[in-house]
Amino acid sequence: MIRLYENGIYLVNGKEIIPEKEAASFFAARGGMPDREKARQGTISWSVLKAHNQSGNMEKLRLRFDAMASHDITFVGIIQTAKASGMDHFPMPYVLTNCHNTLCAVGGTINEDDHLFGLSAARKYGGIFVPPHIAVIHQYMREMHAGCGKMILGSDSHTRYGALGTMAIGEGGGELVKQLLEDTYDVNYPGVVCVYLDGAPQPYVGPQDIALAIVAAVFRNGYVKNRVMEFVGPGVSSMSTDFRNGVDVMTTETTCLSSIWRTDGETRAFLKAHGREEDYRELNPADTAYYDGCVYVDLSRIRPMIALPFHPSNACTIAELNANLPDMLRAVELEAEKVSGGRAPFSLTDKIENGKLRVQQGVIAGCAGGNYTNVVEAANLLRGRNIGDGAFALSVYPSSQPVLISLTRQGYVTDLMEAGAIVRTAFCGPCFGAGDTPANNGLSIRHTTRNFPNREGSKPGNRQMAAVALMDARSIAATAARGGILTSAEEFDGWGQVPEYTFDPTVYERRVYQGFGHPTGEELVYGPNIRDWPPMSRLTENILLKVCSRIMDPVTTTDELIPSGETSSYRSNPLGLAEFTLSRRDPEYVGRSKAVDRVEKARIAGEDVMSAEPALKEIYDQIRTLPGMAGIQPGETEIGSMIYAVRPGDGSAREQAASCQRVIGGLANIAREYATKRYRSNVINWGMLPFQMEEEPDGFQVGDYIFVPGVLRALDGDMKEIPAYVIRKDEIRPLKLYIAEMTADERKIVRAGCLINYNRQRKEKKSGND
C-alpha cells in the first residue's frame, strides 16, 4: 500500500522511480549518470522556490510570498505587532477570515469586537476581509487566491494549497509580520520528498483515508519533517481537485514544511470554474529529477481508515479495528489515563455492543471535510435513511457559502436534514475545540484535521473528557446510516455519483471587502479586550532561568502549550490569554512563571531582586563561585522562566504557544528537538532562546535554577556548545546546551528581546540615519 524508500531517488519522465543505489547501473545504459545537483533542480519545488527567492543563494533562501492569510485567532496580534513595528500598509494581498471564533458565544462582545477590528484593519491598511460564516480560511484561499507556481504564507498550520500548484506554508504570526514589513522568510533549502501516487482510489475511499494512511507511514519516523512533499505520478490524475485538496491539507500532520502537486487539465478546470483560468500553469518535474526520499502510494490498495485518539498518525483500517476492538480500544484507554493525569475517567471498551463500536457523534467540517465532494457523497448515502433518535448526532459544515449554495440548489442539504443531520455554516470550531464538544466520556468521529488531546473541547481538570477519532466523510455517513455503529464505507454501494460543481461568487462579491491596494488610513476600531503587547526585556550577557515546567511526554503539542477552544476568545489580550498557558497539562505553571516575572520586573525597575525573591541570595552565592563570576550583579542579569519538553510544538502554527510564555516571564525553552520549524520560529520571534540538549534532563527539576553565562557571546559564535549550570543552594552541576542554526536576523531578534523590539530598533536607527 505505502512504501518508504531508504535513500534518495531519481524520477525519470515522471513515471519511473530509480533508487539512488541503483542509479549508476540504470543510467549507464542511457548515456551516463546525471549530475545529482542538476537533477535536484528538476523538481517542481525548486522552480517555485527559485522564483520567490531574494537571496541569490538557493541553499539559504530568503522568500517573499504572493499572498497571505490569517483568521480571527491570529490576525489581531499580527496586525498589532506589525503596527508597533512601523507598518503603514499591506504590501501584498492579505486575507483576514473570521472562521475560528465565529460564533461569538464566549466572553461577551470580545469575539465580534475582534471581527470589527479586522474589518477596520483591512480598510486602514488595504486588506481583504471575509466576514464570519462566509468561508473557512483555506477554502477561501483555494477558491480565490491559490494558483500554479505561487507561494502563500498563512498563520494557520493547515495553510496548504499544493493541489493547486501553490507552495503554501503555515507559520507563526511573527513570520507574517516580517512579510508585512517587506522582509523575508528565511530558511535553508528544504529536502524534497517525492510522493508517488499510483493507481486510483476505490469508489468508497475518500481523501481522508489516503491522508491518514500517509500520515501513519511517515509521522513517527520523521520521514518528511521540515521537508516539501511533492505529489507526482499517474495517480494524481485519478482524483478531482476537490479530492486532492482533501489529501493535501492533511500533509500538515506529517510535520512537513509544505507541499506541492503536479498540475493537469483537472487543475485548469478548477481554476476556470472559479474565474481564474489565467492562474493555471502546467507544473511537472523535469525528465530527470532527484528527490531526497520517496513515499510510494498504491491508491487502489488503501481501505477506509480511522485515526484513533490522540493523534492522526494513530491510524489503521476500520476493518482492522473492528477485528480487534477490545485490545485496540484498551490501548487508547491507557493513553487517555496519561492524557487526563488521572483527573477524568475515560472509557471506550464500554461502547462495544454485540462486537461493534458505538460512537456518540459525527462531524463533517472545515477545510478537510466540508468540501463539496465529501458532503455530496455523504448526502447521497443518507438520502432516504434515518440516523435515529438516540444519542448519536451528525453535524455537517460546508466549507464556504458558495459550496453551501450549490449543495442547497441541488437538494443535498434537504437530503442531509431529512436524514437527521444538522447543517451549519462555514466554521472551524469542531477542528480546534470550540464547537460540537461531545458529552463527557463520548467518542466523536470527524472528518476534520486533528484529534489531539482536548482539542474537541473537553477539560480533564474539571473531570470532563471526550475524544475524537478521524475518519473520512464517507465512512462517517455509513456510520450515521447505522445509527452510530462504526461502519466502513466499504459496506455500502453507490459511491462516486458526484455532479459537477458550479461556483457562484455572488456572496463574495456582496460581502467580502476587497481593499488590497486601496488603504484608507482610517482609524482602527478597538474593543475593550484588545490590548497592546507588554514590554519585553533586552537580553543580557548572563541569564538566570528558573525551571517552571518539565514535560517528559514524547511529543508536546501546541494545544497543550496553550489550549485551543474557548480560551482563544482571549487571544487579543496577551496577558489574559497567557493565564491559560499549559493549563491542561501543568496547571501550576502560570503561577510559577508569574512569580519569576515579578522578580524580573523588579530588576528592570532598579529594585533589589533579593528583596523580591530572598531565595536568590543563596543562588547568587553559588554563582559567584564559578570562574569569572565573582563580581556578577543580579541587577545586570535577566531572570526568566523556562520550560523543558522533549519535543515541543507539534500542531498549530499559533504564535500564542510561545508568546503566552514570554509575556508572563518566559525566557527560554530547552528541548531534545523541536517538533516543527514553526514553533521554534515562534520561540525565536518572541525573544526566547531555543536551547537544546542531548542528555536526559535528570540533572534539574521544577524549581531549580539554570545559569547561562555569556549567552550574548554564544549568539555570536557557532552555538554548538553553550556551557550552563544547574544551581541549587548547596550544589552546582554543569549542563551542556546548544542552539541549532539561526539566521543573523534571528540572533538579533533574540538579543533585542523580541521581534517588536528588533523592528523598533531598526526603525529608530533608520530615522537617525535619515
Side-chain angles (χ1 to χ4, degrees):
M1 182 170 70
I2 295 180
R3 174 188 173 191
L4 306 183
Y5 282 72
E6 185 175 349
N7 297 303
I9 63 107
Y10 289 88
L11 184 67
V12 179
N13 297 323
K15 296 181 178 179
E16 195 166 1
I17 299 170
I18 311 301
E20 191 167 14
K21 62 183 179 182
E22 300 173 14
S25 58
F26 175 86
F27 288 109
R30 293 164 176 79
M33 186 75 180
D35 178 82
R36 177 174 159 176
E37 288 307 306
K38 185 176 181 180
R40 187 177 174 224
Q41 299 175 23
T43 65
I44 302 170
S45 302
W46 176 279
S47 62
V48 175
L49 289 168
K50 187 175 190 300
H52 292 81
N53 182 32
Q54 308 295 306
S55 73
N57 178 0
M58 285 297 288
E59 297 306 312
K60 300 288 183 181
L61 300 173
R62 296 177 64 87
L63 301 172
R64 289 238 176 99
F65 291 80
D66 300 296
M68 298 200 305
S70 294
H71 51 64
D72 51 345
I73 285 180
T74 56
F75 65 59
V76 175
I78 291 168
I79 292 165
Q80 288 280 76
T81 303
K83 172 177 172 281
S85 301
M87 176 193 68
D88 58 11
H89 73 288
F90 294 160
M92 65 187 70
Y94 186 21
V95 178
L96 310 178
T97 68
N98 295 268
C99 52
H100 277 59
N101 286 322
T102 309
L103 298 183
C104 308
V106 177
T109 68
I110 61 178
N111 284 345
E112 190 61 20
D113 291 345
D114 284 357
H115 299 159
L116 190 57
F117 174 92
L119 177 59
S120 70
R123 295 177 65 86
K124 178 179 178 67
Y125 298 116
I128 299 163
F129 181 82
V130 183
H133 303 282
I134 299 298
V136 301
I137 179 172
H138 304 310
Q139 184 65 12
Y140 184 82
M141 296 305 290
R142 292 166 184 157
E143 292 172 346
M144 304 304 292
H145 284 274
C148 304
K150 291 186 178 182
M151 291 194 74
I152 293 176
L153 185 67
S155 56
D156 183 273
S157 56
H158 292 100
T159 305
R160 292 285 189 269
Y161 317 122
L164 292 164
T166 296
M167 191 176 290
I169 298 175
E171 271 284 359
E175 295 303 323
L176 278 78
V177 170
K178 292 175 185 176
Q179 295 288 310
L180 291 175
L181 299 175
E182 300 186 71
D183 289 336
T184 55
Y185 178 80
D186 301 343
V187 63
N188 291 339
Y189 185 83
V192 181
V193 174
C194 165
V195 183
Y196 189 92
L197 303 182
D198 206 0
Q202 299 294 335
Y204 46 79
V205 166
Q208 187 79 324
D209 298 317
I210 294 165
L212 292 177
I214 294 173
V215 172
V218 304
F219 172 76
R220 297 194 189 281
N221 57 21
Y223 192 80
V224 298
K225 180 181 176 181
N226 293 332
R227 293 175 162 185
V228 177
M229 298 175 74
E230 185 163 309
F231 287 77
V232 297
V236 170
S237 294
S238 71
M239 308 172 182
S240 68
T241 302
D242 214 34
F243 196 111
R244 298 175 201 178
N245 284 333
V247 177
D248 182 62
V249 72
M250 289 295 291
T251 59
T252 294
E253 304 313 319
T254 68
T255 69
C256 73
L257 178 71
S258 186
S259 64
I260 196 161
W261 296 50
R262 73 171 182 85
T263 61
D264 56 14
E266 169 62 27
T267 320
R268 182 195 290 269
F270 180 94
L271 292 169
K272 182 178 181 180
H274 289 81
R276 298 192 295 113
E277 189 176 8
E278 70 277 5
D279 286 335
Y280 175 76
R281 179 158 60 91
E282 184 176 336
L283 300 177
N284 277 304
D287 291 344
T288 301
Y290 177 82
Y291 293 89
D292 299 286
C294 179
V295 181
Y296 174 86
V297 183
D298 184 346
L299 297 170
S300 66
R301 295 181 60 195
I302 292 177
R303 293 296 181 267
M305 303 286 291
I306 181 169
L308 293 167
F310 294 93
H311 198 276
S313 64
N314 191 21
C316 63
T317 65
I318 296 175
E320 181 184 356
L321 173 64
N322 282 333
N324 300 277
L325 271 178
D327 291 342
M328 297 183 76
L329 296 183
R330 181 56 186 153
V332 176
E333 290 174 341
L334 293 173
E335 185 64 23
E337 291 177 18
K338 298 178 184 177
V339 168
S340 71
R343 296 171 293 171
F346 181 76
S347 59
L348 286 175
T349 50
D350 64 337
K351 297 171 178 58
I352 300 175
E353 296 182 7
N354 300 316
K356 302 290 185 180
L357 177 62
R358 177 172 291 281
V359 301
Q360 287 65 57
Q361 184 192 70
V363 176
I364 300 169
C367 57
N371 297 357
Y372 170 78
T373 302
N374 294 330
V375 178
V376 170
E377 293 278 31
N380 281 340
L381 181 69
L382 290 172
R383 185 181 300 113
R385 291 188 164 95
N386 179 3
I387 71 171
D389 59 0
F392 178 81
L394 175 65
S395 296
V396 180
Y397 295 76
S399 55
S400 70
Q401 287 287 74
V403 169
L404 179 56
I405 288 169
S406 181
L407 293 167
T408 302
R409 285 174 176 163
Q410 297 181 75
Y412 293 114
V413 170
T414 301
D415 294 332
L416 288 166
M417 295 177 71
E418 287 182 345
I422 302 300
V423 179
R424 308 179 192 266
T425 52
F427 181 39
C428 298
C431 191
F432 78 102
D436 284 301
T437 304
N440 182 55
N441 202 45
L443 178 65
S444 178
I445 53 173
R446 301 187 176 186
H447 192 157
T448 56
T449 56
R450 287 203 173 119
N451 61 339
F452 290 175
N454 311 323
R455 199 174 173 91
E456 71 298 306
S458 60
K459 297 179 178 179
N462 294 343
R463 294 185 59 78
Q464 302 165 10
M465 185 163 176
V468 166
L470 299 181
M471 289 168 50
D472 188 82
R474 292 148 189 78
S475 291
I476 293 173
T479 300
R482 292 193 172 153
I485 298 298
L486 189 75
T487 303
S488 167
E490 195 169 0
E491 297 185 28
F492 288 88
D493 296 323
W495 304 107
Q497 307 303 311
V498 181
E500 186 174 344
Y501 169 62
T502 301
F503 172 71
D504 183 344
T506 302
V507 67
Y508 289 164
E509 293 168 355
R510 292 176 176 174
R511 288 293 296 138
V512 175
Y513 177 76
Q514 298 285 349
F516 174 62
H518 305 286
T520 65
E522 62 192 65
E523 293 301 312
L524 294 171
V525 177
Y526 285 88
N529 185 62
I530 299 175
R531 307 290 176 84
D532 290 331
W533 294 105
M536 280 155 267
S537 308
R538 182 176 178 83
L539 190 66
T540 57
E541 179 63 36
N542 309 305
I543 61 172
L544 183 63
L545 306 172
K546 188 169 188 179
V547 183
C548 287
S549 188
R550 187 172 175 271
I551 305 173
M552 299 307 296
D553 299 341
V555 176
T556 302
T557 68
T558 47
D559 286 309
E560 293 171 290
L561 293 166
I562 181 65
S564 60
E566 82 283 2
T567 57
S568 296
S569 293
Y570 300 92
R571 76 275 182 191
S572 302
N573 181 342
L575 292 173
L577 183 61
E579 293 291 331
F580 297 97
T581 312
L582 279 177
S583 59
R584 296 180 187 171
R585 184 62 186 78
D586 185 356
E588 305 302 316
Y589 165 77
V590 169
R592 298 185 196 118
S593 187
K594 289 171 73 174
V596 178
D597 192 43
R598 285 193 289 272
V599 179
E600 171 62 9
K601 283 183 167 58
R603 183 190 74 83
I604 294 172
E607 300 170 10
D608 181 9
V609 297
M610 304 300 186
S611 298
E613 178 50 75
L616 285 175
K617 181 181 185 307
E618 293 175 317
I619 298 300
Y620 273 98
D621 286 345
Q622 290 283 55
I623 291 174
R624 290 187 178 110
T625 67
L626 294 170
M629 292 294 123
I632 188 170
Q633 296 298 315
E636 298 173 358
T637 302
E638 185 173 3
I639 304 171
S641 65
M642 183 275 288
I643 289 175
Y644 175 86
V646 176
R647 192 171 177 240
D650 185 26
S652 173
R654 284 175 291 131
E655 65 180 301
Q656 292 96 329
S659 66
C660 283
Q661 296 173 48
R662 183 62 168 147
V663 299
I664 55 171
L667 184 51
N669 280 194
I670 300 179
R672 184 176 300 162
E673 67 171 319
Y674 290 87
T676 57
K677 176 195 174 297
R678 55 182 173 269
Y679 175 68
R680 185 175 182 269
S681 294
N682 288 336
V683 169
I684 292 169
N685 284 328
W686 283 105
M688 292 191 291
L689 289 147
F691 288 126
Q692 291 177 242
M693 58 183 288
E694 294 179 356
E695 60 193 282
E696 294 297 321
D698 300 328
F700 57 83
Q701 300 295 329
V702 171
D704 286 340
Y705 285 93
I706 297 175
F707 178 65
V708 187
V711 72
L712 291 180
R713 292 194 303 274
L715 284 171
D716 289 334
D718 62 17
M719 303 182 295
K720 292 180 179 178
E721 286 192 23
I722 301 174
Y725 303 89
V726 179
I727 308 290
R728 301 188 179 107
K729 64 180 182 180
D730 55 356
E731 180 186 11
I732 296 179
R733 179 177 296 187
L735 195 67
K736 291 183 179 180
L737 303 177
Y738 71 94
I739 298 176
E741 183 179 0
M742 293 169 65
T743 67
D745 283 347
E746 286 176 332
R747 297 178 195 227
K748 292 174 184 177
I749 290 167
V750 171
R751 292 172 74 102
C754 66
L755 181 63
I756 295 174
N757 292 355
Y758 171 66
N759 286 328
R760 282 174 176 162
Q761 290 169 15
R762 289 199 305 170
K763 184 179 179 181
E764 290 167 2
K765 184 177 180 180
K766 182 178 179 182
S767 298
N769 290 338
D770 292 343

